[in-house]
Amino acid sequence: MKKSLFWILAIVITLALSIFQRMTGPTYPKKVAIELNGQNYKVKLPRSGVQHDEIVKLKGVPSDTKAQIHYRCYPTSDEYTTVDFELKDNELQAALPVQPIAGKLQYYITVDGKDYQADEPIVIRFRNDVPAGILIPHILFMFAAMLFAIYTLLLVITHKKYSKWLKITVGTLFIGGFIFGPLVQHFAFGPWWTGFPLGTDLTDNKTLLSFLFFLAALATLKWKYNKWVVALAVLFMIVIFSIPHSSYGSEYDYSTQQLSTEK
């Protein structure tokens, strides 16, 4: 198999994994189907907000529809606050009030007297905006690390030389996960690192574990069974990076009014 085909296959797999991780993550908007007069309307309800009131929109829903949004701080047992949707810019809109950094709200909506997501309220977390000059390189380097890792695995499987691409994988993973990663965390929530041993952030922890596996692969490069270590490192990376992004991350504790990285 030609190496050009390896790259095509690696890109396809990487894109598929990236899309899966994004769409299953806790920050991706929740798609909800609303039924009105026998017709379904699909709306997207936000699960991530920056430092301003988050506007929830019922796009496509008839403008004369009566709807409310019910929200409370999360995790608390406070009573829900109810706000009516209002017609603005030809859309039904309601605002969720901005929260402290890493503060969360849980909410559900009522449309034409019917509750949606009341049994499983949506949780939205607020953060600071991350400069594009930091966020974009972080995303690109993490994407590149996954791409190079999969390409390395294909070289291993087909018994071709792979040491160069293993080293490149380790380098891009380090830059993306341990240079730009902490910068993104700092700008978004304040702390630089919220994984082991300081916290339970799955994003930080899975990056750390993956990097350790690749360091082991690099350290045993001259071992005759190194290809198995490399394959294990890549497969481990694929599995843990399929875990939804931003799970168990920083969270504002409303009881102490402090940021918490522990769950």
Side-chain angles (χ1 to χ4, degrees):
M1 184 181 291
K2 295 182 179 180
K3 290 185 178 180
S4 59
L5 295 179
F6 285 2
W7 281 115
I8 294 174
L9 184 57
I11 290 172
V12 170
I13 295 173
T14 303
L15 285 173
L17 289 171
S18 299
I19 293 171
F20 173 79
Q21 184 193 65
R22 170 64 177 165
M23 294 186 68
T24 58
T27 61
Y28 194 77
K30 177 71 174 180
K31 294 181 180 179
V32 176
I34 295 174
E35 184 179 353
L36 288 171
N37 300 320
Q39 185 172 351
N40 287 326
Y41 300 88
K42 293 183 178 180
V43 300
K44 294 182 178 180
L45 303 180
R47 294 194 287 179
S48 180
V50 292
Q51 284 302 287
H52 54 69
D53 291 353
E54 183 68 21
I55 306 300
V56 179
K57 300 178 181 180
L58 301 183
K59 291 186 177 181
V61 174
S63 59
D64 59 349
T65 302
K66 301 298 181 183
Q68 297 83 34
I69 190 167
H70 317 272
Y71 65 85
R72 68 181 178 186
C73 296
Y74 177 86
T76 70
S77 56
D78 296 348
E79 294 292 328
Y80 279 99
T81 297
T82 298
V83 176
D84 290 330
F85 277 87
E86 297 180 355
L87 186 62
K88 294 182 179 180
D89 300 324
N90 295 318
E91 290 180 330
L92 290 174
Q93 300 182 10
L96 291 172
V98 63
Q99 299 298 297
I101 300 301
K104 297 179 180 179
L105 295 175
Q106 65 176 176
Y107 71 96
Y108 67 95
I109 62 175
T110 301
V111 182
D112 199 23
K114 182 178 179 181
D115 293 336
Y116 294 87
Q117 298 296 136
D119 294 334
E120 296 182 53
I122 297 168
V123 175
I124 180 172
R125 180 172 65 164
F126 288 80
R127 58 174 175 80
N128 281 321
D129 201 9
V130 180
I134 292 174
L135 183 60
I136 292 176
H138 167 65
I139 294 173
L140 290 178
F141 272 103
M142 295 305 293
F143 182 91
M146 177 66 77
L147 175 65
F148 296 147
I150 294 174
Y151 181 72
T152 302
L153 178 61
L154 294 175
L155 294 178
V156 168
I157 293 173
T158 53
H159 307 289
K160 291 181 171 55
K161 293 182 179 180
Y162 59 84
S163 60
K164 169 187 173 181
W165 292 103
L166 174 62
K167 294 174 183 177
I168 292 175
T169 299
V170 174
T172 52
L173 181 58
F174 177 78
I175 295 172
F178 297 96
I179 295 179
F180 285 104
L183 285 169
V184 170
Q185 178 72 245
H186 176 67
F187 275 93
F189 301 111
W192 293 88
W193 180 262
T194 55
F196 179 84
L198 302 179
T200 58
D201 189 325
L202 286 186
T203 300
D204 287 349
N205 282 329
K206 68 185 183 183
T207 302
L208 176 60
L209 286 173
S210 182
F211 187 69
L212 291 176
F213 266 76
F214 275 102
L215 283 183
L218 196 59
T220 59
L221 192 56
K222 295 183 178 180
W223 188 36
K224 64 178 180 178
Y225 298 114
N226 175 255
K227 64 180 181 179
W228 297 106
V229 182
V230 174
L232 181 62
V234 176
L235 292 175
F236 182 79
M237 182 186 202
I238 292 173
V239 171
I240 65 171
F241 273 73
S242 297
I243 298 173
H245 201 61
S246 300
S247 299
Y248 291 94
S250 301
E251 182 176 279
Y252 183 81
D253 189 331
Y254 287 94
S255 63
T256 63
Q257 296 186 346
Q258 292 181 344
L259 183 69
S260 173
T261 58
E262 298 285 351
K263 297 290 177 289

